[in-house]
Amino acid sequence: EGKMDLGGHVECLQAGIYRADIPCQFKVKRQAFQGLLDDLDSHLRHAIVVEGKMDLEQVTNYGEVRAEIAEKLQDLRDRPVREEKPLIY
């Protein structure tokens, strides 16, 4: 029974299918996250103004939210090999 589960797990990973309850190893590209950090304000402005259809001045906690996002991006950049349970939407 265990071999069948492992085989199914490996097949799912190879097909790009993940389960939220099984930790998986991911290797991410540091440069990608550094690029997001470098242009973070531009990306946030786009999300707020274009996608959210709001004025930037309406956002009262921009600095707090920006800091939280930057911290998470820095962690991803600094620890590119990760073993985590994937977030599945």
Side-chain angles (χ1 to χ4, degrees), residues 2-89:
K3 288 184 181 181
M4 289 177 63
D5 289 339
L6 178 62
H9 176 68
V10 170
E11 285 181 18
C12 287
L13 291 175
Q14 290 175 342
I17 301 170
Y18 301 94
R19 285 183 43 179
D21 61 334
I22 299 175
C24 298
Q25 190 172 40
F26 296 93
K27 184 174 182 183
V28 298
K29 295 185 178 184
R30 291 177 186 224
Q31 309 90 312
F33 291 101
Q34 185 59 54
L36 290 171
L37 282 162
D38 293 343
D39 296 328
L40 185 55
D41 287 306
S42 173
H43 294 304
L44 290 175
R45 272 193 302 276
H46 178 82
I48 294 166
V49 175
V50 176
E51 294 178 15
K53 298 183 184 351
M54 295 174 57
D55 291 328
L56 199 55
E57 295 77 30
Q58 291 178 276
V59 180
T60 58
N61 62 342
Y62 180 87
E64 294 171 37
V65 172
R66 185 196 186 287
E68 286 179 35
I69 293 170
E71 182 180 330
K72 291 177 181 181
L73 289 171
Q74 288 165 353
D75 182 54
L76 287 164
R77 177 199 63 200
D78 296 341
R79 294 186 315 121
V81 178
R82 315 175 70 82
E83 182 157 329
E84 299 179 2
K85 293 180 181 177
L87 295 176
I88 299 174
Y89 296 92

